[in-house]
Amino acid sequence: MSRSALVGNVTAMLEDAGFTVSDRCAIRPKSFDVAARRGRDLILLKILGNIDAFDGPTGLEMRRLGEYLQATPLVVGLRTRDKELEPGVMYLRHGVPVLSPDTAYNLFIEGIQPLIYAAPGGLYVNIDGDVLADKRESRGWSLGRLANELGVSRRTVSKYEDGMDASIDVAMKLEELFGNELTSPLSVFDGADEVQDVDEPGEPDDLDESESDEMIDVLTRVGFIVHPTIRAPFKTVSEDERDHDRMMITGHSAFNKTAEKRARIMASIGRVAKTRSVYFVDSAKRETIDGTAIIEREEAENLEDAEELDDLIKGRV
């Protein structure tokens, strides 16, 4: 299956599941392919045939964007190397959850969370330690007796009851002994690793540093906390200091065909992510593109505060 067909199939599945899906980010640089929202759940989705193409910088950028936009970064892929991804298993690549299309279908259409996750050494499940301890004690079994049944140490059983995850083999033995009520579903929407202070972003390859600093300075001066992006179809995500839930995505460049295309994609993402979308240019005859406000640099430089910027945006969209 071609990647284009895979993207089409996955986005159609999300729409069938009740998600509003943005236009595809068919412009570089891009860390994700589409944004999708259902109710309060917002996901930033990367769709790949081979997940080995998903690299560390892209994973970090998706996690950062997830934190800025209160979204879940997620990868849907078919295989790794020459091996198909297992159905019902959540993988983790560079801190981002990875699902096969079948697992994504079960999650989004059927509402079935995966129970198994892949980690170095094999496949694992979450064990409900309190339930395990209750079942063991109701049998009148000691830690040693259960350890013998499982073929592990007494200390390992104690760790299971304290919340340590178990391999799929141990989980199957526990299911034979006590039934299948011991495992806890994984929360894909909470599955991404948090961004740490030591995770420093790189420098974008296509960004003029002085141009970037100029627009960041303007946004900061009028009252925004600005998060530059590296591999997104927009240049910054900015939080209004008056209300941190009021987010804005921005771009800036000369006004040309590429800028128009980027502004349309930004507008689509903004509608899904529920953020405002603004594109700063040197000069333009248009004031909006599909809901993205077009603002000339001179206008931006003359702004006094965020309220003036709000008024300018409202007058254009």
Side-chain angles (χ1 to χ4, degrees), residues 283-296:
S283 63
K285 295 179 180 179
R286 302 179 63 175
E287 293 189 341
T288 182
I289 297 177
D290 290 353
T292 291
I294 306 300
I295 297 176
E296 295 185 353

Side-chain angles (χ1 to χ4, degrees), residues 2-277:
S2 70
R3 183 166 180 270
S4 180
L6 178 62
V7 172
N9 288 346
V10 172
T11 54
M13 179 265 292
L14 288 170
E15 289 169 345
D16 289 344
F19 282 83
T20 300
V21 183
S22 75
D23 294 341
R24 183 177 175 183
C25 300
I27 193 167
R28 295 182 182 276
K30 59 176 181 177
S31 53
F32 63 96
D33 291 301
V34 295
R37 178 183 289 278
R38 183 174 63 184
R40 303 178 75 175
D41 292 328
L42 174 64
I43 61 176
L44 302 177
L45 187 63
K46 186 76 173 177
I47 305 168
L48 296 167
N50 188 332
I51 65 171
D52 294 330
F54 187 69
D55 59 21
T58 302
L60 176 57
E61 174 80 339
M62 286 187 69
R63 286 159 50 212
R64 286 184 179 279
L65 292 174
E67 290 195 7
Y68 301 155
L69 297 171
Q70 299 179 13
T72 298
L74 183 65
V75 175
V76 172
L78 295 177
R79 63 189 179 276
T80 174
R81 300 182 181 87
D82 296 324
K83 182 179 179 181
E84 299 291 319
L85 298 187
E86 297 278 354
V89 177
M90 184 178 84
Y91 299 79
L92 200 67
R93 282 296 175 94
H94 305 296
V96 177
V98 179
L99 308 177
S100 72
D102 287 342
T103 308
Y105 180 92
N106 287 337
L107 174 64
F108 297 125
I109 300 289
E110 304 294 341
I112 302 172
Q113 296 269 9
L115 289 173
I116 304 168
Y117 70 92
L123 301 177
Y124 298 85
V125 298
N126 291 334
I127 297 295
D128 189 321
D130 292 336
V131 173
L132 176 59
D134 288 344
K135 286 185 175 291
R136 175 181 62 78
E137 291 170 0
S138 68
R139 291 270 184 100
W141 287 7
S142 65
L143 289 171
R145 168 71 186 275
L146 180 54
N148 289 335
E149 294 285 344
L150 296 175
V152 300
S153 68
R154 184 178 180 279
R155 183 183 180 193
T156 297
V157 172
S158 179
K159 287 184 177 180
Y160 291 150
E161 294 187 356
D162 287 339
M164 185 177 77
D165 294 344
S167 70
I168 193 69
D169 291 337
V170 168
M172 291 175 66
K173 290 180 182 178
L174 287 171
E175 183 175 330
E176 292 175 2
L177 292 171
F178 299 119
N180 59 2
E181 302 171 0
L182 294 173
T183 56
S184 302
L186 304 171
S187 178
V188 174
F189 288 104
D190 296 326
D193 288 350
E194 291 185 1
V195 175
Q196 305 297 320
D197 290 339
V198 294
D199 294 327
E200 292 294 337
E203 289 298 329
D205 294 331
D206 67 338
L207 183 60
D208 181 272
E209 188 173 344
S210 61
E211 177 186 272
S212 174
D213 289 345
E214 177 186 341
M215 297 318 301
I216 289 173
D217 288 346
V218 168
L219 290 169
T220 302
R221 176 176 56 77
V222 300
F224 286 87
I225 300 170
V226 182
H227 306 289
T229 66
I230 309 297
R231 301 183 178 197
F234 38 86
K235 296 294 180 66
T236 77
V237 179
S238 299
E239 303 173 49
D240 192 327
E241 289 183 340
R242 301 168 300 172
D243 181 354
H244 288 257
D245 290 331
R246 283 172 56 85
M247 307 296 295
M248 180 171 67
I249 55 177
T250 73
H252 49 271
S253 71
F255 189 74
N256 52 31
K257 292 295 184 182
T258 300
E260 289 187 49
K261 185 176 182 180
R262 194 179 295 275
R264 288 192 177 92
I265 292 171
M266 287 172 54
S268 178
I269 294 170
R271 284 190 290 271
V272 172
K274 298 184 178 179
T275 69
R276 295 172 295 168
S277 176

